[in-house]
Structures are given as structure tokens and as C-alpha cells.
Amino acid sequence: MSTYSLSDGLASGAPRLSRTPLLANWARESGVGVLASIAWIAFGLSCLWWEDVGDWSRTHSLGIAAFVIAAIALFGTVGADYLGSAGRALRKRAPWLVALGAFLTLWEVATAKFAWLPLPFFPPPQSIIEVYTDDLPKLLDSVFASVKLQLGGYLIGVTVGFLTGVSIGWSRAVGYWVHPVLRFIGPLPATAWLPIAFFTFPSSWSASTFLIALATGFPVTVLTWSGVASVSNAYYDVARTLGAKPSFLVLKVAIPAALPHVFVGLFMGLGSSFAVLVVAEMIGVKAGLGWYLQWAQGWAAYANMYAALIVMSLLCSGAITLLFAIRDRLLVWQKGTVKW
Amino acid sequence: MVTAALAEAVTHPAAGAALDIEQVSHAFDIDGTELPVLSDVSISVEPGEFVALLGPSGCGKSTLLRLVAGLDKPRAGRLREDESRIRSPHPSRVVVFQDPTLFPWRSVWDNVALGLEAQGILKSQRHRVDDALDLVGLASFRNAYPHQLSGGMAQRVALARALVNDPKILILDEPLGKLDSLTRITMQAELVSLWQRKGFTTLLVTHDAEEALVLANRVIVFSDRPARVKADIRVDRPYPRHRGDPYLADLRRQILGLLGLDATW
């Protein structure tokens, strides 16, 4: 009975579906794309319509670029069916394109055109573009210096932290001696060492490397240790009855079992090492994005500051993406890991 | 089935090892007070025997298995496998625990390969892993991860992980305890046929009298903690056995009586 009435309901509903105007269907599919296009056209117009209140050289190019993006958004989403996965990806992100276009329009109008926001502190989009085109060599040098410093310190911190963590988790004797030191020194923010580090180390670069390694090492140590310590005894029993020697128990049982914890430590270490990196570059090292920020502030070059901030955020986010990709590869056996 | 098993037994005459448990006592320290768990236990197991250890829960059966496996050392008494003292774990005595305890980061194949890898002979003996997986019927799951397996499948993998080492004594610590009743009955039959084919000595801890009687040719009943041997019962019935067999039903009644459960039966 109920099946019959259900199919009946469907049958009477079907014509209504097919009578849905094609236009509405099309609007649902591509409407957001059209909106995105309109938002970016508005941004382009906002660049070109009024005169700039200041002297910026990239206003015209930015306006043209906005029109190009508007065109891509329009044709990309309307023709998404012919563009395969790129089209699908674009359609999925179309709402973000709308928001971004609207935000840029507002920003453009509020800064470059009517100066509703006080000017040197809130530069318009075109002045940030100007930084990327005109100050590129210096910015790239800074990126390179930051990445080098961060990578060196982080890798040292990870290696030392991981080995220490495994040793404490595995050996009671090592734990006896290292644990109190860890408790005493570890919770101290690495930046507190700054004054000491900069006069005890031969160079500001080695001092910063040490500080970044310290900031990374503590969470990596603690989480590796807790990971190794929390491995169920049942795993060791199984391995021992199958003839495993102690080295096998460490390398093939303890470490793989602790790996999910280790990755939490690597993630936390990455976060705290970014903080130390920027502070170290602002105070001691004469290179890197932190230094660039400081330098830009000294010259009241606020556009340069925003430009450097954007690059920095992309780098940090990229590093975390990379870490998560490595984790997903190594921990495929886990179910339900967080998507970054 | 029986004749086939006999033929197998003739071709592998010495596949199992003898096990001697001589006046073994053991105790745990819990907050400074001594808790005796085994008291003067002596059992002599013939090569190739299937012995079930039956007793109330928490009586110390599992402790005895850990001693046989060499995972712990007894406070008093001696354990011997074929005349040699048991002092540490050895792959000739492999344990299958109540939980499959598969390593979640290893695929099924890698889990089964664990013993050979730990002994450093995996490279030359890879076929043994495939054979063991075939034996438990999970060859097609070789690349699966443990979290993708059902409880029964996981326990089969654990069994394959033990059998790949060609143990002389297979130690089973309630390996079917957590399975649903259907899977349990199937796996009981599989255990018997594996034991008949391979001829290893089997020690099975269980708290299920029926399971003990369907599987073992000897049932040893333990007392409450500290565990003492209360009865040593021979089960002379051919395999495969039937749960409804009146002889087994009678033995079951006797055993439940020994465990103090006659009023409920």
C-alpha cells in the first residue's frame, strides 16, 4: 500500500520537475559564476572609474586584470561542463570568487578612491601589487632566508626531539635524567632565550637556528615520548613471543605505534617555530620576512608590510599542508584523519 | 576426516613438543601485598595433545599461559619444552591472545610476516606467509589494514601470524571469546582441522566447557584463585565432535559440577 502511494506521489511530482524553467536550472548551475563575474567587473570599474587620491602606478593594470578574472569566472563556470575537473573546481569555488571580488571592490573604494580609511596605514590593493612587481628581488631574498633558517632549525629540532622522545619513552634510565631537565626548560618560551642566545652564539644565524630548534624540539619530544609510553604492552608481548629482539621492539613496534602522536608534536612544533622565526628575524637576524616587516615598518612602507604578511601566511600554510600530506601518506592505516 | 588426520599424524610424527609444568607457583605483587595466582600446578602434556584449561574467570589460567610462553617467570617450579627449560619467549611457542592485537599500521600480509621478520628470515621465506594466509582463507585480504577486517577475520589473521612460525606448541588464550556464536562455531572447526593437519601441541584457555569438550582431547579443570588442578579429564571421542553427543553432555555436567554450577544445570 505504502509503496503504491509513494510511487503515485513521485509520478505526480515528476511533471512538475520537468516543467521547471530551463532558466532556473541554468541559474542554479551557473548563477554564482555570473555573480562572481559581476563582482570582479565591479572591482575593475572601481579601479578605473574614479581618479586615485594618491600616486599609484598599477591602478590601470589592476583594473584590466580584474576584467580578465571576471571573464575567466564567467566562461569558466558557464562552460564548466566542457572543462573537466578544472571546471568543477572553479564552480565549487565560485562563491569565494564572489566574496573576494566584493571585498576587493570595497577595499579599493575605501582606500584609493575616497580614503575612508586613513591612508598610509591602509594601502589600496594596487600598492600591494606594486610591491610584488617593484620590490620582488628583496622580497624573494627574504623568503629564501626565512625558509633556509626555518628549515635548518626545524629539522634539527625534529631530529633531536624525536630521538630524545623515543629514548625517554623507552629507557627508564634516560627518563630519570632527561625528564627533570625537560620539565625545567621545556615550558619556557624559546623567545625568552633570545638575549642569552644572541651573545652566546657566534652568529645571529646560529642563535636563531638554536631557538627554532628549541621551540620545535619541546613539543616533538613530549609527544613522541607520550606516544612511545602509551604503546599497549600487548603489542610487545605479541612481538616477543614471535621472537623479536629489543631493537625490533623499538624500531618496528614502538615507533610506528607512536607515529600518530609524533605527528601532533611535529604540527605543534611547526607552529611554535614560526613564532620564534619571526621574532628572531625582527630582533637579531638581518634577513628574512620578519626582518622585511621590521624594515618596512621603519620606513612606514605599509604596503610592503601587507605584502610580506601575505607571503608569510602562504608560506606557513604551505608548510602545514606539506606536513599533513606527509602524515596522510605515512598514516594511511588510520581511519578518519583530519583534512587540512 | 579422522583417517585423513591419522595419515597426517603419521607423516608429521614429531610436529608437536612435549610440555612439562612442574610444581609451578606464581604470585602478583599488588600494592605490596602478595596475591597468589597459581599454587603447585603440575601438568604433563604429550606431544601433539590438545589440552583445554578450564576454570572460573580470573583464576590464573592466563597467567599460566604467560609462563608457558616465557613472557613471565614463575616464582617457584619449572616449565620445560622437550626437556629444555623455558626461560624466555621463543617462536616455537606462539600465543594467540583474546584480542587479535594485530598491528594497525601493518597490512594483513605484513602482520602475518611479523614473526619471520623479527627472526630475520623473511626474505628467504616469503612463501610461508602466503601459505599461512591461504590456510586461514584470507589470501585475498593480504593488502587490507586491520581496521577493515571483521572480528572473526582479524582473529584468523592472528592465527595465521602464529602458524607461520610452525610452532611446536600453540598457546590459545580464549581466542574465540569475543566472537559472535556463529563465527565461533566455524572457527572451532577450523582450529581442530588445523591442529589435526599440523600436529602441534595445543594449549587452550577457555571458560566455556562446551568449547573445551568439542575441541580438546584433555580438559584440565582449575579451582578458584590460587589455581590448583582440580580434575584432569580425558575426552576420548573422535573428531568432528557433535555438540549434542550425550557422552560430551554428561562430561559437561560433571565439569560444571566441579566448577560449582550444578544447581543451574
Side-chain angles (χ1 to χ4, degrees), chain A residues 66-160:
Chain A
F67 289 137
V68 173
I69 293 175
I72 293 173
L74 183 67
F75 293 113
T77 46
V78 171
D81 298 334
Y82 307 100
L83 292 171
S85 62
R88 270 195 303 281
L90 190 67
R91 205 171 252 179
K92 212 173 104 189
R93 287 164 182 76
W96 264 108
L97 276 176
V98 180
L100 211 58
F103 171 72
L104 287 171
T105 311
L106 199 67
W107 182 10
E108 178 69 27
V109 172
T111 53
K113 304 305 175 184
F114 298 102
W116 295 331
L117 294 167
L119 239 184
F121 310 107
F122 293 96
Q126 53 264 46
S127 72
I128 289 172
I129 299 291
E130 206 175 317
V131 173
Y132 289 134
T133 52
D134 298 5
D135 206 20
L136 190 65
K138 198 192 235 159
L139 208 52
L140 281 182
D141 278 351
S142 301
V143 167
F144 183 69
S146 283
V147 169
K148 204 173 94 181
L149 186 58
Q150 164 71 22
L151 212 61
Y154 186 67
L155 290 182
I156 293 172
V158 165
T159 312
V160 173

Side-chain angles (χ1 to χ4, degrees), chain A residues 180-237:
Chain A
V181 178
L182 195 68
R183 276 184 73 168
F184 185 65
I185 292 175
L188 201 62
T191 40
W193 289 86
L194 262 168
I196 299 176
F198 276 115
F199 70 74
T200 45
F201 277 82
S203 65
S204 60
W205 184 80
S206 57
S208 312
T209 304
F210 165 75
L211 292 177
I212 292 169
L214 199 66
T216 311
F218 178 59
V220 174
T221 306
V222 171
L223 276 138
T224 305
W225 165 33
S226 87
V228 171
S230 67
V231 177
S232 160
N233 272 325
Y235 291 145
Y236 296 129
D237 283 347

Side-chain angles (χ1 to χ4, degrees), chain A:
Chain A
M1 268 312 260
S2 61
T3 328
Y4 172 74
S5 62
L6 187 68
S7 60
D8 191 39
L10 271 177
S12 64
R16 224 182 311 148
L17 265 176
S18 69
R19 254 188 275 120
T20 313
L22 272 173
L23 193 66
N25 211 11
W26 178 84
R28 202 173 48 242
E29 294 269 299
S30 315
V32 188
V34 174
L35 274 181
S37 179
I38 292 170
W40 282 84
I41 288 171
F43 177 43
L45 287 175
S46 76
C47 286
L48 304 178
W49 196 266
W50 298 283
E51 277 300 309
D52 281 346
V53 295
D55 178 25
W56 295 293
S57 59
R58 305 284 166 192
T59 312
H60 188 71
S61 333
L62 186 62
I64 302 296
F67 289 137
V68 173
I69 293 175
I72 293 173
L74 183 67
F75 293 113
T77 46
V78 171
D81 298 334
Y82 307 100
L83 292 171
S85 62
R88 270 195 303 281
L90 190 67
R91 205 171 252 179
K92 212 173 104 189
R93 287 164 182 76
W96 264 108
L97 276 176
V98 180
L100 211 58
F103 171 72
L104 287 171
T105 311
L106 199 67
W107 182 10
E108 178 69 27
V109 172
T111 53
K113 304 305 175 184
F114 298 102
W116 295 331
L117 294 167
L119 239 184
F121 310 107
F122 293 96
Q126 53 264 46
S127 72
I128 289 172
I129 299 291
E130 206 175 317
V131 173
Y132 289 134
T133 52
D134 298 5
D135 206 20
L136 190 65
K138 198 192 235 159
L139 208 52
L140 281 182
D141 278 351
S142 301
V143 167
F144 183 69
S146 283
V147 169
K148 204 173 94 181
L149 186 58
Q150 164 71 22
L151 212 61
Y154 186 67
L155 290 182
I156 293 172
V158 165
T159 312
V160 173
F162 179 75
L163 293 177
T164 316
V166 171
S167 314
I168 309 176
W170 188 256
S171 152
R172 200 160 291 186
V174 175
Y176 177 82
W177 290 106
V178 178
H179 182 207
V181 178
L182 195 68
R183 276 184 73 168
F184 185 65
I185 292 175
L188 201 62
T191 40
W193 289 86
L194 262 168
I196 299 176
F198 276 115
F199 70 74
T200 45
F201 277 82
S203 65
S204 60
W205 184 80
S206 57
S208 312
T209 304
F210 165 75
L211 292 177
I212 292 169
L214 199 66
T216 311
F218 178 59
V220 174
T221 306
V222 171
L223 276 138
T224 305
W225 165 33
S226 87
V228 171
S230 67
V231 177
S232 160
N233 272 325
Y235 291 145
Y236 296 129
D237 283 347
V238 165
R240 283 173 64 206
T241 61
L242 295 173
K245 291 167 200 58
S247 61
F248 187 91
L249 294 182
V250 176
L251 297 174
K252 301 286 180 132
V253 183
I255 289 177
L259 222 47
H261 281 84
V262 174
F263 269 98
V264 176
L266 292 179
F267 174 67
M268 288 168 61
L270 200 56
S272 53
S273 67
F274 288 152
V276 176
L277 172 77
V278 174
V279 174
E281 284 177 345
M282 281 182 169
I283 292 180
V285 191
K286 293 279 171 277
L289 285 167
W291 167 81
Y292 188 95
L293 272 178
Q294 189 79 349
W295 168 85
Q297 196 211 7
W299 287 97
Y302 293 98
N304 296 57
M305 283 177 62
Y306 286 103
L309 268 181
I310 292 170
V311 172
M312 207 183 261
S313 125
L314 288 177
L315 280 178
C316 294
S317 177
I320 288 175
T321 306
L322 191 67
L323 182 71
F324 275 56
I326 295 171
R327 182 199 64 171
D328 289 347
R329 241 192 124 73
L330 284 177
L331 302 184
V332 276
W333 53 270
Q334 272 193 321
K335 27 179 188 175
T337 46
V338 180
K339 270 262 169 282
W340 164 248

